[in-house]
Amino acid sequence: MKLTDINSKVDPKFFKEHQRGIYKSLEDKHTTIEEIDSEDPLNSKMVLNMGPQHPATHGVLRLILQLRGELIEKTKIDIGYLHRGVEKIAENKTYQEFMPYTDRMDYLSPYSNNVALCTAVEKLADVEVPERAQYIRMICCELARISSHLLWLGTMVMDAGAISFFIWTFREREKIYDIFDEVAGHRFTVSHSRIGGVANDLTDDAVARIKEFVEKFPQELKDWHKLLDRNRIFIDRNQDVGILKTENALDLGATGPVLRAAGYAVDQRIIKPYLKYDQVDFEVPTRMEGDNLARYFVRMEEMGESIKIIQQCFDKMPKGPIRTNNAKQAYPSKDEVYYSMEGMIHDFMMTDTGICPPAGKEVYHAVESPKGELGYFIQSDGTGHPWRLKVNAPSLRNLQVLEHILDGEMVADTVVIIGGIDPVMGEADK
Amino acid sequence: MSLELNKTEQGVVDGLSSDFSEDLIDVYQSCDHTYIRVEAENIIQILKFLKEKHHFIFLCDIIGTDRYTSDERFEVIYNIMNLRTQDRIFVKIRVEEENPHVPTATSLWTSAGWFEREIYDMYGVRFEGHPDHRRMYMPEDFEYFPLRKEFPLLGIPGSIELPNTTPDTE
């Protein structure tokens, strides 16, 4: 007896159409669930719902897996549980007001998001940023990259079965939080970047802390390499798992370490250098295998490269102002606000209307965030808030890849593959 | 304003004006990037031409915009990248307000799937021939399109059925 109507198996409590739509699309691609199949007397075919609330899904991600025994036949990913309408909010706020919201998108590397928005707006409104501010941004962006990769490393290794590693990476992350606390006054959602520069200069204490971190971290990294690179369990769980071929990576729109592990070295820092990335010397780690192990190596090597970039930044960073002097483009310093009338007026104006780029101008600017290409597309209508602001989120693009690479894998590997993709749902759902 | 096109962009503009001269509407530049506006009907052929002849093989994003009070209310912008020279161009089409629909680009790039679903979810522009045309963030029975300019920032009360807060008694 063949069950042709899959819907009768499903009894959703709410959003019936959505639920049916998902099951329908699973049904279209492959065979339907059969009630009693002569070839499948044990009923090993089933649809497994994983998430949305599961520690291994790294946020609110729901996977609908059609299984045949232990094998995944087809995956559908259901996102949107964290949708907050960030783009709608952006269109109703001034550019600077939107800054704290960017922190909460990819909440594992807030600084990269701040810089992405700032650089896009600065390009749109022709704002010159002093050199020192650009170096400060670079240093903090690279710290954010390390911090994001550390969380990925801890959780991914935990997904593969090792617990203590998570504690070690968090110990290092904690040091980066302390640095951000000193630099920006916040540990987590920093909002340190300002349109036209940064909020405040690095203090001596902050510089000392960063230098200490940069000095000691490579040794940690070396130890971790020693532990994992030749670890039989780790390799067996990651090698040839979740393979993404180069042509598929390009077809599916992969980005960041996922794309680079599949053999294509696209890095926004190289192809379209922003800030002062053309002044420093670094490499873009790339692998050919495209499996989970390759993604591990790419991210581990990227952390080493970030350390190199930070060291060079300290050598090259000049003294000088950290924000543009034009009062129509950036917030005045607090000294001016408290002691001069013009300063106060401009502070009010920046808060009230903010910077007004010319009407009809459009900009797309992408930075290389830890997850990949993070781009902001902004259309201006001449007022202080964007007419249209669209975020090109790397997590969204990589999750779409996940929907395809899970097909044909074992169900036990799902968790490790999700870990290897490193999605952040705050960014994917927007 | 005169255009400052590099070699790849010049090649694209020349190619389009010879092969698709009737579809090409406008070429302009804004903040370092080149935007090409074309007719919506032949968009798939144009994208295919760019992909195959000019090596724009990487689709980075598809952007939807709402021009609100203007004619041809919606805009769909394809953000594509040439991986040989690593140049990026934007191809734009405009869509009518009444029954907006565009042919899907999923036959060229699988990655278009989610981007198109996102635009449908937020603006209500339908993509003909899309293999999995569901809403992305909003529930399927939600009647409105939140990024349209007339949708209020605070939302429409009662438009989303919220889950029960008391546990089931069955």
PDB file of all heavy atoms in Angstrom, chain B residues 16-30:
ATOM      1  N   LEU B  16      26.812  43.588 -24.804  1.00  0.00           N
ATOM      2  CA  LEU B  16      25.371  43.746 -24.610  1.00  0.00           C
ATOM      3  C   LEU B  16      24.785  44.660 -25.677  1.00  0.00           C
ATOM      4  O   LEU B  16      23.702  44.412 -26.195  1.00  0.00           O
ATOM      5  CB  LEU B  16      25.067  44.313 -23.226  1.00  0.00           C
ATOM      6  CG  LEU B  16      25.168  43.336 -22.052  1.00  0.00           C
ATOM      7  CD1 LEU B  16      24.890  44.059 -20.751  1.00  0.00           C
ATOM      8  CD2 LEU B  16      24.188  42.188 -22.201  1.00  0.00           C
ATOM      9  N   SER B  17      25.516  45.728 -26.030  1.00  0.00           N
ATOM     10  CA  SER B  17      24.910  46.650 -26.990  1.00  0.00           C
ATOM     11  C   SER B  17      24.916  46.058 -28.397  1.00  0.00           C
ATOM     12  O   SER B  17      24.130  46.494 -29.234  1.00  0.00           O
ATOM     13  CB  SER B  17      25.596  48.019 -26.953  1.00  0.00           C
ATOM     14  OG  SER B  17      26.973  47.877 -26.892  1.00  0.00           O
ATOM     15  N   SER B  18      25.749  45.066 -28.671  1.00  0.00           N
ATOM     16  CA  SER B  18      25.639  44.447 -29.992  1.00  0.00           C
ATOM     17  C   SER B  18      24.633  43.294 -29.989  1.00  0.00           C
ATOM     18  O   SER B  18      23.822  43.183 -30.890  1.00  0.00           O
ATOM     19  CB  SER B  18      27.015  43.965 -30.469  1.00  0.00           C
ATOM     20  OG  SER B  18      27.455  42.913 -29.652  1.00  0.00           O
ATOM     21  N   ASP B  19      24.652  42.446 -28.932  1.00  0.00           N
ATOM     22  CA  ASP B  19      23.767  41.277 -28.931  1.00  0.00           C
ATOM     23  C   ASP B  19      22.376  41.568 -28.382  1.00  0.00           C
ATOM     24  O   ASP B  19      21.408  40.930 -28.765  1.00  0.00           O
ATOM     25  CB  ASP B  19      24.397  40.138 -28.112  1.00  0.00           C
ATOM     26  CG  ASP B  19      25.541  39.491 -28.836  1.00  0.00           C
ATOM     27  OD1 ASP B  19      26.147  40.187 -29.669  1.00  0.00           O
ATOM     28  OD2 ASP B  19      25.832  38.312 -28.587  1.00  0.00           O
ATOM     29  N   PHE B  20      22.299  42.470 -27.435  1.00  0.00           N
ATOM     30  CA  PHE B  20      21.011  42.737 -26.790  1.00  0.00           C
ATOM     31  C   PHE B  20      20.695  44.227 -26.855  1.00  0.00           C
ATOM     32  O   PHE B  20      20.311  44.832 -25.864  1.00  0.00           O
ATOM     33  CB  PHE B  20      21.034  42.277 -25.333  1.00  0.00           C
ATOM     34  CG  PHE B  20      21.171  40.797 -25.159  1.00  0.00           C
ATOM     35  CD1 PHE B  20      22.419  40.223 -24.991  1.00  0.00           C
ATOM     36  CD2 PHE B  20      20.053  39.973 -25.168  1.00  0.00           C
ATOM     37  CE1 PHE B  20      22.549  38.855 -24.835  1.00  0.00           C
ATOM     38  CE2 PHE B  20      20.183  38.598 -25.012  1.00  0.00           C
ATOM     39  CZ  PHE B  20      21.422  38.038 -24.847  1.00  0.00           C
ATOM     40  N   SER B  21      20.897  44.834 -28.025  1.00  0.00           N
ATOM     41  CA  SER B  21      20.778  46.296 -28.106  1.00  0.00           C
ATOM     42  C   SER B  21      19.376  46.784 -27.733  1.00  0.00           C
ATOM     43  O   SER B  21      19.210  47.868 -27.190  1.00  0.00           O
ATOM     44  CB  SER B  21      21.143  46.770 -29.507  1.00  0.00           C
ATOM     45  OG  SER B  21      20.318  46.106 -30.436  1.00  0.00           O
ATOM     46  N   GLU B  22      18.355  45.954 -27.978  1.00  0.00           N
ATOM     47  CA  GLU B  22      17.000  46.409 -27.665  1.00  0.00           C
ATOM     48  C   GLU B  22      16.673  46.314 -26.189  1.00  0.00           C
ATOM     49  O   GLU B  22      15.770  46.982 -25.710  1.00  0.00           O
ATOM     50  CB  GLU B  22      15.990  45.599 -28.479  1.00  0.00           C
ATOM     51  CG  GLU B  22      16.086  45.905 -29.949  1.00  0.00           C
ATOM     52  CD  GLU B  22      14.946  45.308 -30.732  1.00  0.00           C
ATOM     53  OE1 GLU B  22      14.149  44.571 -30.145  1.00  0.00           O
ATOM     54  OE2 GLU B  22      14.889  45.589 -31.937  1.00  0.00           O
ATOM     55  N   ASP B  23      17.398  45.447 -25.501  1.00  0.00           N
ATOM     56  CA  ASP B  23      17.102  45.253 -24.084  1.00  0.00           C
ATOM     57  C   ASP B  23      17.880  46.188 -23.179  1.00  0.00           C
ATOM     58  O   ASP B  23      17.495  46.436 -22.052  1.00  0.00           O
ATOM     59  CB  ASP B  23      17.421  43.810 -23.688  1.00  0.00           C
ATOM     60  CG  ASP B  23      16.532  42.830 -24.389  1.00  0.00           C
ATOM     61  OD1 ASP B  23      15.304  43.027 -24.326  1.00  0.00           O
ATOM     62  OD2 ASP B  23      17.041  41.891 -25.006  1.00  0.00           O
ATOM     63  N   LEU B  24      18.995  46.680 -23.674  1.00  0.00           N
ATOM     64  CA  LEU B  24      19.856  47.511 -22.841  1.00  0.00           C
ATOM     65  C   LEU B  24      19.233  48.889 -22.657  1.00  0.00           C
ATOM     66  O   LEU B  24      18.959  49.583 -23.635  1.00  0.00           O
ATOM     67  CB  LEU B  24      21.231  47.628 -23.507  1.00  0.00           C
ATOM     68  CG  LEU B  24      22.338  48.289 -22.719  1.00  0.00           C
ATOM     69  CD1 LEU B  24      22.661  47.473 -21.482  1.00  0.00           C
ATOM     70  CD2 LEU B  24      23.578  48.422 -23.570  1.00  0.00           C
ATOM     71  N   ILE B  25      18.975  49.283 -21.421  1.00  0.00           N
ATOM     72  CA  ILE B  25      18.318  50.565 -21.182  1.00  0.00           C
ATOM     73  C   ILE B  25      19.311  51.620 -20.726  1.00  0.00           C
ATOM     74  O   ILE B  25      19.344  52.727 -21.228  1.00  0.00           O
ATOM     75  CB  ILE B  25      17.201  50.413 -20.124  1.00  0.00           C
ATOM     76  CG1 ILE B  25      16.149  49.424 -20.633  1.00  0.00           C
ATOM     77  CG2 ILE B  25      16.544  51.758 -19.833  1.00  0.00           C
ATOM     78  CD1 ILE B  25      15.120  49.059 -19.617  1.00  0.00           C
ATOM     79  N   ASP B  26      20.142  51.262 -19.769  1.00  0.00           N
ATOM     80  CA  ASP B  26      20.975  52.288 -19.153  1.00  0.00           C
ATOM     81  C   ASP B  26      22.236  51.652 -18.569  1.00  0.00           C
ATOM     82  O   ASP B  26      22.184  50.529 -18.077  1.00  0.00           O
ATOM     83  CB  ASP B  26      20.156  52.966 -18.039  1.00  0.00           C
ATOM     84  CG  ASP B  26      20.830  54.220 -17.522  1.00  0.00           C
ATOM     85  OD1 ASP B  26      21.764  54.678 -18.199  1.00  0.00           O
ATOM     86  OD2 ASP B  26      20.421  54.727 -16.470  1.00  0.00           O
ATOM     87  N   VAL B  27      23.328  52.376 -18.668  1.00  0.00           N
ATOM     88  CA  VAL B  27      24.554  51.958 -17.979  1.00  0.00           C
ATOM     89  C   VAL B  27      25.030  53.154 -17.168  1.00  0.00           C
ATOM     90  O   VAL B  27      25.143  54.249 -17.705  1.00  0.00           O
ATOM     91  CB  VAL B  27      25.662  51.544 -18.963  1.00  0.00           C
ATOM     92  CG1 VAL B  27      26.901  51.120 -18.214  1.00  0.00           C
ATOM     93  CG2 VAL B  27      25.201  50.419 -19.858  1.00  0.00           C
ATOM     94  N   TYR B  28      25.232  52.970 -15.892  1.00  0.00           N
ATOM     95  CA  TYR B  28      25.752  54.086 -15.101  1.00  0.00           C
ATOM     96  C   TYR B  28      26.653  53.559 -13.999  1.00  0.00           C
ATOM     97  O   TYR B  28      26.686  52.353 -13.721  1.00  0.00           O
ATOM     98  CB  TYR B  28      24.616  54.930 -14.516  1.00  0.00           C
ATOM     99  CG  TYR B  28      23.748  54.218 -13.515  1.00  0.00           C
ATOM    100  CD1 TYR B  28      23.982  54.334 -12.144  1.00  0.00           C
ATOM    101  CD2 TYR B  28      22.684  53.439 -13.926  1.00  0.00           C
ATOM    102  CE1 TYR B  28      23.186  53.683 -11.230  1.00  0.00           C
ATOM    103  CE2 TYR B  28      21.882  52.783 -13.014  1.00  0.00           C
ATOM    104  CZ  TYR B  28      22.134  52.909 -11.668  1.00  0.00           C
ATOM    105  OH  TYR B  28      21.356  52.257 -10.768  1.00  0.00           O
ATOM    106  N   GLN B  29      27.387  54.477 -13.393  1.00  0.00           N
ATOM    107  CA  GLN B  29      28.304  54.086 -12.332  1.00  0.00           C
ATOM    108  C   GLN B  29      27.998  54.849 -11.070  1.00  0.00           C
ATOM    109  O   GLN B  29      27.581  56.005 -11.108  1.00  0.00           O
ATOM    110  CB  GLN B  29      29.745  54.348 -12.762  1.00  0.00           C
ATOM    111  CG  GLN B  29      30.248  53.318 -13.733  1.00  0.00           C
ATOM    112  CD  GLN B  29      31.668  53.577 -14.141  1.00  0.00           C
ATOM    113  OE1 GLN B  29      32.023  54.698 -14.451  1.00  0.00           O
ATOM    114  NE2 GLN B  29      32.475  52.550 -14.153  1.00  0.00           N
ATOM    115  N   SER B  30      28.183  54.171  -9.949  1.00  0.00           N
ATOM    116  CA  SER B  30      28.001  54.828  -8.666  1.00  0.00           C
ATOM    117  C   SER B  30      28.945  54.164  -7.681  1.00  0.00           C
ATOM    118  O   SER B  30      28.923  52.935  -7.548  1.00  0.00           O
ATOM    119  CB  SER B  30      26.533  54.666  -8.226  1.00  0.00           C
ATOM    120  OG  SER B  30      26.363  55.196  -6.954  1.00  0.00           O
TER     121      SER B  30
END
